Amino acid sequence: MSITPNEVMKIAHLARMSVDHDDVERYAQDLSGILNLVEHMNQVDVRGIEPMAHPLDMCQRLRADVVTEFNQRDTLQAHAPAVENGLFLVPKVIE
Amino acid sequence: MQWETVIGLEIHAQLATKSKIFSGSSTAFGAEPNTQANVVDLGMPGALPVLNAEAVRLAVTFGLAINAVVNRRSIFARKNYFYPDLPKGYQISQMDLPIVARGEILIEQEDGTSQTVGITRAHLEEDAGKSLHEDFHGLTGIDLNRAGTPLLEIVSEPDMRSAKEAVAYAKTIHSLVRYLGMCDGNMQEGSFRVDANVSVRPKGQAEFGTRAEVKNVNSFRFLERAINFEVERQIDVLESGGKVVQETRLYDPDRDETRSMRSKEEAHDYRYFPDPDLLPVVLDEAYIETVHAGLPELPNDKKQRFVKQYALSPYDASFLTAERELADYFENALKVAGCEAKLAANWVMGDLSAALNKAGLEIKQSPVNADMLGGLLNRIADNTLSGKLAKEVFEAMWAGEGGADAIIEKKGLKQITDEGAIAAIVDAVLAQFPEQVAEFRSGKDKVFGFLVGQVMKAAKGKANPAQLNAVLKQRLES
């Protein structure tokens, strides 16, 4: 299993990460190395073993349906680059 | 060529919880922007989600109501995509092990045909915020009050073959989630959103055609139109030698058409993986049993019971049980009145529903409550009121003038049922119209209607119509 430089670019794009062109080849090798390790683990016979969804062998605790939070808009928007009428402003996202 | 339409629906129902699925922020609709969004909803570093017990209970309730497998162990996953109204860069959803697995529901169309539609799964997830694209000098405004509101996404099998079937299914689910009290069903406010996966294939072909997903449908009427438009469009594409592209299309109700959402250069790749912030949800048998015990009578069971217990037609029973509140209203009015069920059904489905529609009110906002309607039905059943007078009393009750008996008393609307009194009015009218009487006796039956009208007018509308007819006939024929 190996990852091509093109696939590195695609993954970086999906994750919205900028990748230096010179590093692409190295990332491709590193990622391929990780996948090879996974491939190696894949050879272990795990028939009959329930896959773990979490490293902790515990189950989710539930919260009662009660409103416990109050309005903290001013605090939470203090470090937002742009706000107006209580809204966060971001670059336009539709054409 | 003969084409066959194939439709599957994805329905997002906002769950009627007080707080969000993973935080203690309020879910109330209509608050000032961003006043109900805390550190969890905003995806601040270090904030951790804690699952709302009520969201789990409502999801399980739905699963039990559709005879589905409720997974004793379910898992939350991250669905990764970038959009400013999704602050974390992923939506917490369920992928491999949803809380509700395969189930089914019986749907019935207006013409009485019924069928079973498969429900592939229903899973819990969080809603995103809202983007406002207008009026921000070229920028987009983001309101995250809705971010983190619990949703149950209900995915059907591609079992529907026409827009009408799809609408019948959507209405059935809509009615069910409201019965269960798990969703308010408000399509305008977006609490109940329907997306349609639509494809066509040559009749007889086993494989499905390529589908398009139609979004932005905020009423059942638009759902039907959007699907019909999309089917025609796909058939046109295929018949002119083209290929249907798998894409998302938005319905535009003003132009009654679907339009392609400008597709991104990359196909969607959500890179799902189990959310390490949340442990598996494990439900035991005792819990499921408790939820099961709390299920209300379901719409279909109620409908069957109405047909059996009240001898109503399937149409009437469907109408009355479409909403739980309407069914309760009917039964309460009937309890007060003790009249024939059909009479109560006619009033609830007729004058009451018409008045509610006209005023744009829901049954629970009706100015005439079930007790009041029951009181009116009593006076119809004991012949105090004719149909016409009853309508007058109903209008007065609607206008807030009090109960039926008080209005009858105040307005002197009591029906005249005294045979002698009616005969006296009839005789007076006949004496007034000798020509018409002669015409009737010479064979012009039509004049009868005119004379009935005159007698009713003389009685100020209060004569019992059946008695009036009988007396008039008897006098004319003697």
Side-chain angles (χ1 to χ4, degrees):
Chain A
M1 186 81 191
S2 67
I3 291 244
T4 65
N6 271 343
E7 283 168 321
V8 171
M9 295 305 289
K10 185 186 164 196
I11 294 163
H13 174 75
L14 285 170
R16 300 294 187 273
M17 287 164 63
S18 73
V19 173
D20 213 323
H21 198 74
D22 297 339
D23 295 333
V24 171
E25 190 62 43
R26 187 164 57 81
Y27 283 139
Q29 279 170 25
D30 289 353
L31 290 171
S32 297
I34 294 170
L35 288 183
N36 284 336
L37 176 65
V38 173
E39 192 55 39
H40 191 64
M41 293 193 286
N42 264 345
Q43 286 161 17
V44 179
D45 185 358
V46 291
R47 272 175 297 182
I49 298 174
E50 188 180 11
M52 291 168 75
H54 201 280
L56 296 177
D57 187 19
M58 298 164 76
C59 64
Q60 181 65 35
R61 300 230 339 225
L62 304 182
R63 196 187 92 244
D65 180 28
V66 179
V67 175
T68 53
E69 298 290 318
F70 52 93
N71 175 19
Q72 296 185 75
R73 186 172 75 186
D74 292 345
T75 313
L76 293 171
Q77 288 191 334
H79 62 289
V83 291
E84 190 174 310
N85 298 336
L87 298 162
F88 294 95
L89 294 188
V90 300
K92 202 161 182 101
V93 282
I94 52 166
E95 298 97 277
Chain B
M1 185 184 297
Q2 283 265 57
W3 296 94
E4 183 178 51
T5 303
V6 176
I7 304 160
L9 297 186
E10 287 171 20
I11 295 176
H12 287 85
Q14 268 183 10
L15 297 177
T17 57
K18 294 183 188 70
S19 65
K20 294 191 176 174
I21 184 167
F22 297 119
S23 87
S25 300
S26 169
T27 54
F29 183 82
E32 282 289 300
N34 293 308
T35 54
Q36 294 177 172
N38 79 343
V39 289
V40 174
D41 313 318
L42 260 50
M44 292 291 180
L48 284 173
V50 189
L51 184 57
N52 185 335
E54 182 64 1
V56 172
R57 190 188 68 84
L58 292 173
V60 171
T61 302
F62 179 80
L64 294 173
I66 59 162
N67 287 320
V69 176
V70 174
N71 279 326
R72 300 315 194 244
R73 181 169 171 272
S74 67
I75 290 167
F76 283 97
R78 293 184 178 182
K79 177 180 178 177
N80 300 278
Y81 66 93
F82 290 96
Y83 206 76
D85 58 24
L86 187 76
K88 297 191 297 297
Y90 59 85
Q91 178 192 29
I92 304 178
S93 181
Q94 297 192 298
M95 181 62 181
D96 286 338
L97 279 175
I99 188 155
V100 175
R102 173 80 195 211
E104 60 181 36
I105 196 161
L106 184 75
I107 66 165
E108 194 162 281
Q109 291 185 64
E110 277 166 20
D111 62 10
T113 55
S114 64
Q115 73 190 91
T116 300
V117 174
I119 292 173
T120 316
R121 56 186 279 151
H123 61 256
L124 283 166
E125 62 184 27
E126 58 179 341
D127 209 342
K130 272 184 186 164
S131 302
L132 299 134
H133 300 294
E134 298 89 27
D135 297 336
F136 299 103
H137 20 88
L139 297 171
T140 292
I142 304 291
D143 176 8
L144 296 171
N145 280 349
R146 199 180 66 180
T149 298
L151 298 175
L152 189 69
E153 178 173 341
I154 303 158
V155 183
S156 85
E157 290 286 300
D159 282 352
M160 288 148 284
R161 295 290 174 269
S162 71
K164 281 206 183 317
E165 279 179 31
V167 169
Y169 165 78
K171 281 186 171 169
T172 307
I173 295 288
H174 186 254
S175 167
L176 180 63
V177 297
R178 289 175 50 120
Y179 258 77
L180 298 173
M182 54 178 274
C183 172
D184 70 19
N186 190 324
M187 295 177 84
Q188 295 301 318
E189 288 177 7
S191 323
F192 188 87
R193 310 197 282 270
V194 183
D195 302 332
N197 284 306
V198 180
S199 65
V200 297
R201 63 180 169 188
K203 214 171 176 95
Q205 180 183 302
E207 306 87 61
F208 293 131
T210 305
R211 67 170 191 266
E213 184 177 9
V214 182
K215 286 184 183 274
N216 198 37
V217 187
N218 63 4
S219 74
F220 294 121
R221 195 163 55 98
F222 289 157
L223 176 63
E224 184 167 347
R225 285 202 203 168
I227 291 172
N228 282 332
F229 174 86
E230 184 55 23
V231 167
E232 288 303 313
R233 185 191 71 83
Q234 291 187 13
I235 291 174
D236 284 350
V237 166
L238 293 170
E239 289 189 340
S240 57
K243 272 190 174 162
V244 174
V245 183
Q246 185 169 340
E247 61 180 351
T248 301
R249 299 178 69 86
L250 290 185
Y251 178 66
D252 179 345
D254 295 330
R255 299 166 74 164
D256 192 21
E257 62 179 26
T258 65
R259 275 202 303 274
S260 179
M261 274 174 84
R262 219 58 75 78
S263 58
K264 289 153 200 147
E265 71 272 32
E266 291 288 338
H268 273 312
D269 183 345
Y270 293 124
R271 294 158 295 142
Y272 280 97
F273 63 89
D275 190 329
D277 288 345
L278 289 154
L279 291 155
V281 178
V282 175
L283 308 172
D284 62 26
E285 300 310 312
Y287 175 82
I288 305 269
E289 198 36 59
T290 309
V291 176
H292 196 267
L295 280 183
E297 185 180 27
L298 300 176
N300 215 36
D301 298 338
K302 202 185 275 287
K303 186 185 145 192
Q304 304 303 337
R305 178 169 66 79
F306 274 28
V307 169
K308 234 171 120 178
Q309 183 177 345
Y310 301 126
L312 294 173
S313 69
Y315 175 84
D316 290 356
S318 284
F319 187 103
L320 292 170
T321 55
E323 271 181 76
R324 188 170 162 184
E325 288 82 4
L326 191 69
D328 289 347
Y329 185 105
F330 164 76
E331 291 204 283
N332 287 334
L334 193 57
K335 219 173 277 166
V336 171
C339 63
E340 271 188 45
K342 180 64 183 159
L343 178 68
N346 286 347
W347 272 87
V348 171
M349 294 167 62
D351 293 70
L352 177 73
S353 292
L356 290 170
N357 270 341
K358 203 173 151 202
L361 295 176
E362 305 224 9
I363 183 71
K364 57 178 179 260
Q365 303 165 299
S366 173
V368 176
N369 65 31
D371 282 354
M372 292 163 77
L373 187 74
L376 174 65
L377 294 172
N378 270 330
R379 296 292 86 81
I380 300 170
D382 70 9
N383 263 331
T384 305
L385 295 173
S386 66
K388 186 163 167 288
L389 291 174
K391 280 180 197 291
E392 215 177 315
V393 173
F394 179 81
E395 276 163 29
M397 290 199 300
W398 187 270
E401 293 177 36
D405 288 335
I407 290 166
I408 292 166
E409 186 69 26
K410 196 169 72 186
K411 300 199 163 188
L413 290 177
K414 219 169 165 175
Q415 178 170 240
I416 304 168
T417 50
D418 179 66
E419 195 93 29
I422 293 174
I425 301 168
V426 167
D427 290 340
V429 169
L430 293 185
Q432 230 182 309
F433 295 98
E435 274 175 45
Q436 283 79 358
V437 173
E439 278 177 31
F440 179 83
R441 288 186 171 142
S442 67
K444 277 187 137 182
D445 291 351
K446 273 189 191 161
V447 190
F448 189 75
F450 167 80
L451 291 168
V452 168
Q454 291 304 318
V455 176
M456 200 43 119
K457 201 171 146 196
K460 300 198 174 75
K462 291 189 237 167
N464 176 287
Q467 286 176 298
L468 185 160
N469 267 288
V471 172
L472 184 60
K473 205 164 231 166
Q474 181 237 323
R475 287 292 203 269
L476 285 169
E477 283 166 1
S478 65

